[in-house]
Amino acid sequence: MTNDELLRQLYDLTLVGNGPAVLELTTTGLTAGLGPETLLYEALIPALEEVGARFERGDFFVPEMLIAGKAMAGALDVLRPLLAETGAESIGTVVMGTVKGDVHDIGKNLVNIMFEGAGFKVIDLGVQVPPERFVEAIVEHRPDIVGFSAFLTTTMPMFKANINALNKAGLRDQVAVMVGGAPVTQEYADVVGADGYASDASAAVVRAKELIAARRAAVSA
Ligand code: B1M
């Protein structure tokens, strides 16, 4: 099988949510010398995008989305140590969570993996995280950044609710707020008063480093 055929098969099998075969093909791809990023960005993520498109058209329903998501999550478990390979000292701490009312976590987990790979310490609060839980975690861990993920237009307003909770707790100026998730835009991030936005996991690392550098420069000025 050529690499192109392998990627095509991985895409097709993720699309139909064949978890065991996705796992096997991910391992085969790595053995054949394909990089973890290639498997992610040229097969796994495009397959989930197509799942979303089919769901919107009414060709797929929630169970199909669920099994495709599970297949992708299984592959991520295999790719995680390779994507997060780093000997670097911690360059900052990030508290991350998917906002209240939202159970999507694949995108958040991928951002966490890339953060860890870049040398951040990540405290993952999981999904459906209420504002008060973010507040508690900030008090406990004193992170440089708190990251909110939202994947539904109906849960994006939780960004504002979370920021209000930080303001109320007197924590807003102690932490940089980053937001992201499929329906989120830079414009929306600006409207809710977030400090940073990124459209994908790699961009999230770049933006997080910029935010930390800016905060440290402000402190030492
Ligand atoms: Co849902 N779902 N889902 N779903 N699902 C979407 C998000 C949807 C776009 C599908 C569609 O209609 N095209 C749609 C939302 C529409 C909208 O609001 N605009 C949708 C819907 C409607 C729903 C339900 C309401 C369906 C229903 O029940 N009728 C329901 C909601 C449940 C809830 O949360 N309350 C639901 C449920 C589910 C499943 C549970 C079945 C499953 C989730 C499994 C899981 O996550 N464990 C699921 C799935 C799999 C999807 C799709 C198909 C794939 C999501 C995914 O993992 N993408 C999705 C369609 C799509 O996204 N195209 C869809 C791959 C992932 C790598 O990308 O999540 O964008 P992404 O993450 C990126 C960036 O967003 C960014 O970096 C990540 C990595 O590059 N990023 C950040 C993320 N967080 C960041 C934080 C940052 C910075 C960047 O800083 C802090």
Side-chain angles (χ1 to χ4, degrees), residues 48 52 55-56 65 101 103-107 149 151-153 181-182 198-199 201:
L48 279 201
F55 177 77
E56 261 175 53
M65 271 208 298
V103 305
H104 296 85
D105 67 355
I106 296 167
S149 292
F151 303 93
L152 300 166
T153 41
S199 60

Side-chain angles (χ1 to χ4, degrees), residues 26-27 34 36 42 50 70 72 78 99 101 114 118 129 131 133 137 142 144 159 171 182 218:
T26 301
T27 313
L34 285 168
E42 292 183 28
E50 178 57 20
K70 280 195 175 144
M72 163 88 172
V78 174
V99 299
M114 299 305 267
V129 182
R133 181 71 194 98
R142 299 274 156 206
D144 301 280
F159 291 157
L171 295 169

Side-chain angles (χ1 to χ4, degrees), residues 117-143:
F120 286 95
K121 177 180 175 196
V122 177
I123 289 122
D124 182 7
L125 304 181
V127 297
Q128 307 226 58
V129 182
E132 56 276 17
R133 181 71 194 98
F134 281 113
V135 167
E136 280 167 16
I138 292 165
V139 171
E140 185 182 346
H141 300 286
R142 299 274 156 206

Side-chain angles (χ1 to χ4, degrees), residues 13 22 37 48 68 72 78 85 90 98 110 120 125 160 163 170 201:
L13 291 163
V22 166
E37 285 93 354
L48 279 201
M72 163 88 172
V78 174
E85 237 165 38
S90 173
T98 298
L110 190 51
F120 286 95
L125 304 181
K160 188 69 195 156
I163 290 173

Side-chain angles (χ1 to χ4, degrees), residues 99 131 148 155-167 179 188 190-194:
V99 299
F148 307 138
T155 56
M156 282 163 57
M158 285 311 298
F159 291 157
K160 188 69 195 156
N162 289 344
I163 290 173
N164 288 345
L166 297 194
N167 276 323
V179 297
Y188 192 80
D190 292 341
V191 167
V192 296

